[in-house]
Amino acid sequence: NQSGVSFEVLIVADGSTDETQKLVADVSSTRAEIRCFFQSNRGPSAARNLGILNARGRFIAFLDSDDEWLPKKLERQVEFFNRNPDALICQTEEIWIRNGKRTNPMKKHKKCSGWIFKECLPLCIVSPSAIMMKRELFERVGYFDESLPACEDYDLWLRIAARFPIYLINEPLIIKYG
């Protein structure tokens, strides 16, 4: 449901044992811009890296299965990069839904903008579904660490934040369900 930009969709099913493959086949047959990849369960890092390595675009954005992008998310982030050509990564604010009700994040989850490494140390304040980054950033800091069974995104955000600013678009453009 994204507006204002053209984009490709890459779906990586990582050892899925549900109806993912059938659902993806049904959807992808009607939408040529959707490409699907299936692999045995190798974990989130390997799944993300497979998608990155097969992506054709200048920008990379992730959408986890339990999150939702609001219609202008990609458009707002591309606009941000057009206005800030030296920026390599940005994220958006988010709406949290827990048990079907909107919840306010605690103060410790407050997102910051710019040189945020120090703010990232106590806990992860960057959300995979909220970010968009230039492809070249992976060449500079590396990919997701496939040896990590969890917190692979936190590891990458720390490596990025130690070297580059992570900008915030102060508009909720994703919904996180929990």
Side-chain angles (χ1 to χ4, degrees):
N1 66 355
Q2 294 300 297
S3 62
V5 295
S6 61
F7 60 94
E8 66 177 339
V9 175
L10 281 72
I11 298 171
V12 179
D14 182 52
S16 178
T17 59
D18 57 13
E19 297 289 321
T20 299
Q21 193 161 0
K22 181 185 178 320
L23 177 65
V24 168
D26 292 345
V27 171
S28 63
S29 65
T30 62
R31 307 261 325 241
E33 70 272 27
I34 295 177
R35 293 188 294 140
C36 307
F37 301 89
F38 299 91
Q39 65 183 20
S40 60
N41 190 354
R42 294 183 49 219
S45 291
R48 292 183 201 280
N49 288 341
L50 179 62
I52 295 162
L53 293 170
N54 284 281
R56 298 178 184 137
R58 180 175 160 222
F59 300 109
I60 304 290
F62 302 100
L63 179 58
D64 288 343
S65 62
D66 56 347
D67 296 336
E68 176 184 348
W69 286 348
L70 295 176
K72 299 252 182 214
K73 186 221 188 253
L74 297 180
E75 181 179 1
R76 293 282 194 268
Q77 288 183 296
V78 169
E79 288 170 353
F80 171 85
F81 284 116
N82 288 340
R83 287 190 316 272
N84 301 278
D86 293 334
L88 295 172
I89 182 172
C90 68
Q91 67 174 327
T92 73
E93 280 292 354
E94 51 201 29
I95 296 168
W96 288 13
I97 305 291
R98 298 288 182 257
N99 300 317
K101 294 181 181 177
R102 187 168 179 165
T103 305
N104 292 324
M106 294 186 288
K107 280 187 178 182
K108 68 180 183 177
H109 294 112
K110 181 175 173 25
K111 293 186 177 194
C112 305
S113 187
W115 292 97
I116 65 170
F117 180 73
K118 183 179 174 185
E119 290 82 1
C120 288
L121 290 175
L123 77 159
C124 188
I125 58 170
V126 179
S127 299
S129 294
I131 66 98
M132 179 183 279
M133 63 180 72
K134 292 181 180 174
R135 168 190 294 284
E136 70 189 71
L137 189 53
F138 292 104
E139 295 163 12
R140 297 171 91 172
V141 300
Y143 292 83
F144 289 95
D145 184 342
E146 295 185 21
S147 71
L148 296 175
C151 299
E152 77 292 337
D153 58 324
Y154 188 31
D155 169 71
L156 181 62
W157 311 143
L158 287 173
R159 285 188 277 134
I160 292 170
R163 296 180 54 196
F164 303 101
I166 298 177
Y167 296 101
L168 174 65
I169 297 173
N170 197 15
E171 179 180 355
L173 294 168
I174 72 163
I175 300 173
K176 293 181 66 72
Y177 294 96

